[in-house]
Amino acid sequence: MTSIAANLQAVRARIAAACVAAGRPADSVQLLAVSKTWPAASLREAAAAGQRAFGENYVQEAADKAAELAGLDLEWHFIGPLQSNKTRPVAEGFAWVHSVDRLKIAERLAAQRPAALPPLNVCLQVNVSGEASKSGCAPEQGLALAAAINALPALRLRGLMAIPEPTGDVVRQRRQFALLRHTLERINAELDFRLDTLSMGMSDDLEAAIMEGATIVRVGTAIFGQRD
Ligand SMILES: *Cc1c(COP(=O)(O)O)cnc(C)c1O
């Protein structure tokens, strides 16, 4: 077995154990393999080990890899900061965007999504740590933004995404993940929506995220190794 295949197996085991601990079905959490900075050969190894969904942060890098791996039927998720002048290749080449943090970006993605493709799945990124440097809308803006994005054609609003402040303190991790879950629950209750996605949890904190309801965990280092 390659080390990527072994790492994937270990991450899947962590997810399964966390689901048991949380009293959740094993299939309620999807693994997104975050492959930024890794070459197409690494993704090919992960794909051979059964991984289909990949997360990328940089538009050009993702386009190059997608072209190289076009025969593999992979699902591409954009998870990086998105500038408004870079939305077109994302609208054309991805199945999901996790990092929508303002209406202007959502409007551009909606306008640029090719009619021949299914709607683009999007998550609204929320700043759950309160750090001014972090991207994402404020939790209090979530309701209004979700309502506006949900009304756009060619997009399918699926839920919320967060990148919490890195901390080894599990209580602080869980508090931030819980804030994202509460924000989603409030949107669903007040707007009568059925958003089903909480994109939260990475290599170091996926257990805490699953305890708080994560439905997609975005894992890079634990699968592919330490990035330079
Ligand atoms: C890089 C990245 C990840 C993966 O982080 P790891 O700690 O390597 O698992 C997840 N989400 C986003 C948005 C990222 O940029």
Side-chain angles (χ1 to χ4, degrees):
M1 204 189 298
T2 68
S3 64
I4 288 175
N7 290 345
L8 261 175
Q9 202 170 72
V11 169
R12 290 190 192 117
R14 280 176 66 189
I15 292 170
C19 285
V20 170
R24 299 179 51 192
D27 64 358
S28 61
V29 179
Q30 190 200 343
L31 173 59
L32 180 65
V34 176
S35 43
K36 63 177 173 227
T37 78
W38 297 102
S42 300
L43 285 75
R44 202 180 283 284
E45 267 183 58
Q51 182 63 31
R52 183 160 172 266
F54 290 88
E56 290 281 343
N57 295 55
Y58 310 104
V59 176
Q60 190 55 51
E61 182 191 331
D64 292 346
K65 285 184 227 175
E68 206 168 323
L69 300 170
L72 285 182
D73 188 31
L74 304 179
E75 183 178 87
W76 296 98
H77 294 231
F78 191 82
I79 62 173
L82 190 47
Q83 294 157 358
S84 55
N85 63 348
K86 295 272 180 63
T87 50
R88 184 175 294 280
V90 173
E92 293 176 350
F94 286 79
W96 283 70
V97 180
H98 294 231
S99 45
V100 172
D101 62 354
R102 54 197 191 277
L103 187 57
K104 184 183 175 195
I105 295 288
E107 287 171 342
R108 291 181 66 90
L109 290 170
Q112 293 166 342
R113 181 68 169 174
L117 294 181
L120 180 63
N121 295 292
V122 300
C123 292
L124 176 61
Q125 184 175 351
V126 179
N127 180 344
V128 291
S129 68
E131 298 165 282
S133 62
K134 280 288 172 68
S135 36
C137 71
E140 313 80 65
Q141 300 175 304
L143 196 72
L145 270 171
I149 293 169
N150 191 64
L152 293 171
L155 302 186
R156 183 165 168 217
L157 181 64
R158 296 295 298 270
L160 305 179
M161 180 272 231
I163 307 172
E165 149 198 48
T167 167
D169 179 347
V170 176
V171 173
R172 286 178 68 150
Q173 290 173 3
R174 284 192 61 170
R175 198 180 302 139
Q176 296 178 73
F177 293 135
L179 174 56
L180 196 69
R181 175 167 51 81
H182 291 143
T183 306
L184 186 83
E185 287 167 353
R186 190 168 153 235
I187 290 168
N188 278 339
E190 295 197 16
L191 299 175
D192 196 23
F193 284 179
R194 281 161 193 75
L195 305 183
D196 59 10
T197 300
L198 282 170
S199 168
M200 60 188 195
M202 315 196 290
S203 292
D204 290 335
D205 57 12
L206 68 88
E207 283 84 3
I210 288 170
M211 290 303 288
E212 294 297 345
T215 64
I216 300 180
V217 291
R218 309 178 309 268
V219 179
T221 307
I223 296 171
F224 296 106
Q226 203 71 47
R227 291 177 295 273
D228 294 331

